[in-house]
């Protein structure tokens, strides 16, 4: 069992094309069955360098790549990342295996969420991942105490960010 992103289907198809595997949404709590099939998704971030000599052209390229359904689908097909627009998610040109379809369905699920924006950007994400790695490896002997410490670490970072 592995919890991973949609792009992993492309790696498997490339490196182990005969592997018989499946994909499924992450399990949910028994008392929240309505959440099954939803998930948490990140977004795509792109920027223009402050010192760019061609800011207008860079912005035109970003808009083209972000809002042109055919290009969004072409990028999704090439990278095997979930497309960033609903039109692309529903495009008949999107190349979708049964395993990849699971991720498309999660993206289209109205209960799917994204990470909230905070004053310190996403500094809480690496803090949580670091804690989770330590906990899984046995370096956090007391889960409750570890979570309290993590909470303080995140709150301190938010306070520092203003």
């Amino acid at each position: 069992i592995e919890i991973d992103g949609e792009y992993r289907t492309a790696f498997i198809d490339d490196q182990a094309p005969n592997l018989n595997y499946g994909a499924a949404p992450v399990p949910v709590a028994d008392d929240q069955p309505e959440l099954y099939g939803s998930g948490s998704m990140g977004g795509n971030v792109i920027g223009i360098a402050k010192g760019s000599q061609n800011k207008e052209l860079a912005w035109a390229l970003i808009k083209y790549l972000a809002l042109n359904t055919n290009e969004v689908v072409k990028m999704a097909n090439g990278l095997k990342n979930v497309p960033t627009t609903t039109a692309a998610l529903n495009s008949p040109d999107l190349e979708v295996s049964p395993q990849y379809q699971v991720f498309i369905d999660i993206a289209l699920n109205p209960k799917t969420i994204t990470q909230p924006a905070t004053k310190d950007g996403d500094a809480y994400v690496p803090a949580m991942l670091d804690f989770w790695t330590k906990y899984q490896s046995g370096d956090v002997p007391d889960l409750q105490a570890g979570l309290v410490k993590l909470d303080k670490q995140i709150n301190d970072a938010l306070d520092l960010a203003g």
Side-chain angles (χ1 to χ4, degrees), residues 5 13 17 26 76 84 86 97 108 116 133 142 146 149:
D13 291 345
V26 174
T84 54
T86 303
S97 68
L108 289 168
T133 300
D142 182 343
K149 183 177 175 184

Side-chain angles (χ1 to χ4, degrees), residues 57-118:
L57 290 174
W59 180 241
L61 177 62
I62 289 170
K63 287 193 311 186
Y64 177 76
L65 292 175
L67 302 175
N68 181 300
T69 299
N70 291 334
E71 292 306 313
V72 173
V73 170
K74 191 184 301 181
M75 283 191 294
N77 286 340
L79 298 172
K80 284 302 179 205
N81 282 112
V82 171
T84 54
T85 66
T86 303
L89 285 165
N90 289 305
S91 171
D93 296 324
L94 189 61
E95 298 166 0
V96 181
S97 68
Q99 296 87 353
Y100 186 68
Q101 183 65 50
V102 171
F103 296 96
I104 301 300
D105 293 344
I106 291 169
L108 289 168
N109 188 306
K111 293 193 182 298
T112 289
I113 60 171
T114 190
Q115 297 169 345
T118 61

